[in-house]
Amino acid sequence: MRIGYTIARFDWPGGPAAIRPNLLKLARTAEDGGLYSLWVMDHFWQISVNGPAEDPMLEGYTALGFLAAVTERVTLGTMVTGVTYRNPAILAKTATTLDVLSGGRAYFGIGAAWYQEEHEGFGVPFPPVKERFERLEEAIQIANGMWSDSDSGYQGKHYAPGRLLNIPAAISSPHPKLLIGGGGEQKTLRLVARYADACNLFDAGDEFVTHKLDVLRGHCEAEGRDYDAIEKTIMSRLRPDSTAKTVAARIEQLRELGFAHVILGAPEAANDHYLGLAAEIASLTATV
């Protein structure tokens, strides 16, 4: 069982100057503690489930570049990049750069985007949901073109890059692992079945996640895709009273449901309690 940690808050005591040393400590604790992955949200403002928009938030790929420089083993990714934030060819180039500089440790996390206030605040267009999903599929196709042996252009409804030149190539083979986030049954999970190397769901109980996996299995059958070839990841939130044994027991239940990668999160900026807990959980589940 793979154990990861998502870094969703940066409001450590001490203000902006405290972010770098705490992020460095988190990265080294994760590496030394045997965690498989580290993730950051790709948002520019904090999201309401974690705190007010005015709370500290780092730009995702810059933060991942820092994490790549101070680690050697842990895999890295965004959970997840909204397709609307960046030109898709430039996004694929950015993810490739992360993969090269991390020695082949990048995930390419992407989704249809949802944070309307953030878009409006920064002047980023926020099209209707149907168009966002059209753009998501085109962005995935463009990324796959960037990671192919051809630098031919692409002509879509929303994007038309003339030449998908991407040198240096990614180190990951055949490319950084594509993770599509979300559990939407009609659109998101269909795109997972069609394109993704990994999916991500929230741990909202056995009945919820079992249903989502059944939907994904049905889409895989319709697409002629091997369901087992898709890495099933799930977000699970730690609580102040969580213990390593209770979380490890839940992880074992998730493994039995079909998940291979559990990504832990905390309701506050990572401190010694949560970092130690995550490392202990990784140790307890190493043979699960």
Side-chain angles (χ1 to χ4, degrees):
M1 177 64 77
R2 294 169 169 175
I3 305 298
Y5 193 92
T6 183
I7 310 164
R9 293 184 61 167
F10 301 92
D11 53 338
W12 286 287
I19 294 177
R20 182 185 184 277
N22 277 285
L23 194 57
L24 177 61
K25 180 180 181 180
L26 190 160
R28 289 179 174 167
T29 300
E31 183 106 326
D32 295 343
L35 270 70
Y36 176 77
S37 62
L38 282 175
W39 305 81
V40 296
M41 297 190 300
D42 194 21
H43 285 294
F44 308 106
W45 298 357
Q46 183 56 274
I47 62 175
S48 60
V49 70
N50 293 327
E54 295 79 10
D55 274 3
M57 179 55 59
L58 298 182
E59 191 282 318
Y61 273 99
T62 307
L64 290 175
F66 172 82
L67 293 172
V70 299
T71 59
E72 294 292 336
R73 182 193 56 78
V74 67
T75 57
L76 304 164
T78 59
M79 188 61 74
V80 291
T81 288
V83 69
T84 49
Y85 292 130
R86 299 171 181 83
N87 172 284
I90 293 174
L91 175 61
K93 179 67 175 180
T94 303
T96 302
T97 299
L98 175 66
D99 193 68
V100 170
L101 295 182
S102 67
R105 293 184 283 139
Y107 275 79
F108 181 60
I110 194 167
W114 60 270
Y115 195 174
Q116 184 171 353
E117 294 82 3
E118 182 180 60
H119 287 73
E120 293 172 349
F122 275 6
V124 177
F126 188 71
V129 64
K130 179 178 183 294
E131 180 179 330
R132 298 203 308 275
F133 274 97
E134 291 172 350
R135 288 179 178 271
L136 175 58
E137 184 161 20
E138 289 190 18
I140 292 168
Q141 293 170 350
I142 289 168
N144 284 333
M146 295 277 284
W147 292 323
S148 73
D149 294 331
S150 170
D151 65 358
S152 297
Y154 173 90
Q155 181 63 55
K157 180 178 179 181
H158 302 286
Y159 305 108
R163 187 185 184 193
L164 298 179
L165 182 65
N166 191 27
I167 300 172
I171 291 176
S172 295
S173 180
H175 52 71
K177 190 174 288 188
L178 170 63
L179 180 148
I180 299 176
E185 297 178 13
Q186 296 185 21
K187 295 180 181 292
T188 303
L189 293 178
R190 181 178 291 112
L191 291 178
V192 169
R194 188 172 296 166
Y195 297 107
D197 303 299
C199 65
N200 181 258
L201 299 173
F202 289 99
D203 185 3
D206 288 6
E207 183 176 352
F208 174 85
V209 298
T210 298
H211 172 69
K212 296 295 184 182
L213 292 179
D214 285 344
V215 171
L216 175 60
R217 191 186 300 274
H219 285 312
C220 286
E221 291 174 357
E223 295 287 337
R225 180 80 187 281
D226 181 3
Y227 170 83
D228 293 329
I230 299 170
E231 181 184 11
K232 285 76 173 182
T233 80
I234 188 165
M235 298 281 290
S236 187
R237 198 167 178 86
L238 299 172
R239 301 188 305 271
D241 61 349
S242 294
T243 68
K245 288 185 178 180
T246 58
V247 176
R250 177 56 182 159
I251 289 172
E252 169 60 14
Q253 293 172 340
L254 292 170
R255 184 194 66 79
E256 292 175 354
L257 292 174
F259 292 95
H261 190 169
V262 177
I263 300 164
L264 304 172
E268 56 190 297
N271 53 33
D272 289 344
H273 167 68
Y274 289 112
L275 294 180
L277 184 60
E280 186 177 356
I281 291 165
S283 177
L284 287 173
T285 58
T287 59
V288 172

